[in-house]
Amino acid sequence: MRIPRGAIGPALILLAGVGLFVAAGRLPVVPVPGQLGPDFWPRLVLIGLMGSCVLKLLEVARAGEPAAESGPSLPLAVPKLATGIALVLGYPALAPLLGFPLTNFLFLLAFMRLVGTRRPLPLVVTAVLGTVALLYVFVKVVYLPLPKGAGVMEDFTIFLYRLLRIF
């Protein structure tokens, strides 16, 4: 039996997801009444990842070949790809220095500009609202400690948290 090429990637990601799911279950858990443990969110994301891999495998099995190979391929814009990769790699490098709020705001601005948003108002509004929403979700709902930044940036982050009544 020949395995379709389009099934190899999703199958490998599915296997990695299973391994990471098991590893997430080994995280040290200190139960806090009324809060989800640190193993909950990684496992939830991994369930979504594994579910999408299963759906892709079913799609490939039904079609016989991957859907991406049946249509015309899009041209690859190497400078845009390199810039996107640099943004994704720069995010975790800058977050400890600038703090999550400013790093996320700048990342959203730059990434939206990269993918084609040109008008300044939608860029700024989306970056501000997206950053505030992520702050509330990660800090208030998930209880995830985010990087506050170094020096004056830590003071700015704490000021912003207080302004938004996050803590």
Side-chain angles (χ1 to χ4, degrees):
M1 179 174 145
R2 186 177 159 285
I3 299 173
R5 280 190 340 197
I8 295 171
L12 290 174
I13 294 171
L14 178 63
L15 289 173
V18 169
L20 290 170
F21 186 87
V22 170
R26 294 187 185 131
L27 289 173
V29 177
V30 178
V32 177
Q35 292 184 9
L36 302 171
D39 61 335
F40 176 79
W41 294 105
R43 286 183 145 193
L44 183 65
V45 170
L46 288 167
I47 287 169
L49 175 71
M50 291 182 294
S52 65
C53 287
V54 168
L55 290 175
K56 184 63 177 177
L57 288 169
L58 292 172
E59 175 188 322
V60 170
R62 188 177 330 157
E65 285 297 317
E69 292 181 3
S70 62
S73 63
L74 298 174
L76 179 63
V78 175
K80 268 190 169 183
L81 177 64
T83 304
I85 291 170
L87 286 172
V88 170
L89 293 176
Y91 191 105
L94 288 176
L97 300 172
L98 300 178
F100 176 83
L102 183 59
T103 303
N104 193 70
F105 174 77
L106 294 174
F107 174 82
L108 289 175
L109 279 179
F111 200 83
M112 287 174 47
R113 179 83 168 109
L114 179 68
V115 297
T117 305
R118 300 283 178 245
R119 297 184 334 195
L121 186 61
L123 275 171
V124 172
V125 169
T126 303
V128 167
L129 292 178
T131 299
V132 169
L134 288 174
L135 283 172
Y136 274 106
V137 167
F138 288 142
V139 177
K140 290 289 273 187
V141 176
V142 183
Y143 303 105
L144 183 69
L146 297 173
K148 290 184 181 71
V152 70
M153 294 314 301
E154 181 177 10
D155 296 335
F156 170 74
T157 300
I158 291 170
F159 167 77
L160 187 61
Y161 282 9
R162 288 185 178 143
L163 182 70
L164 297 172
R165 298 192 192 283
I166 292 176
F167 70 67

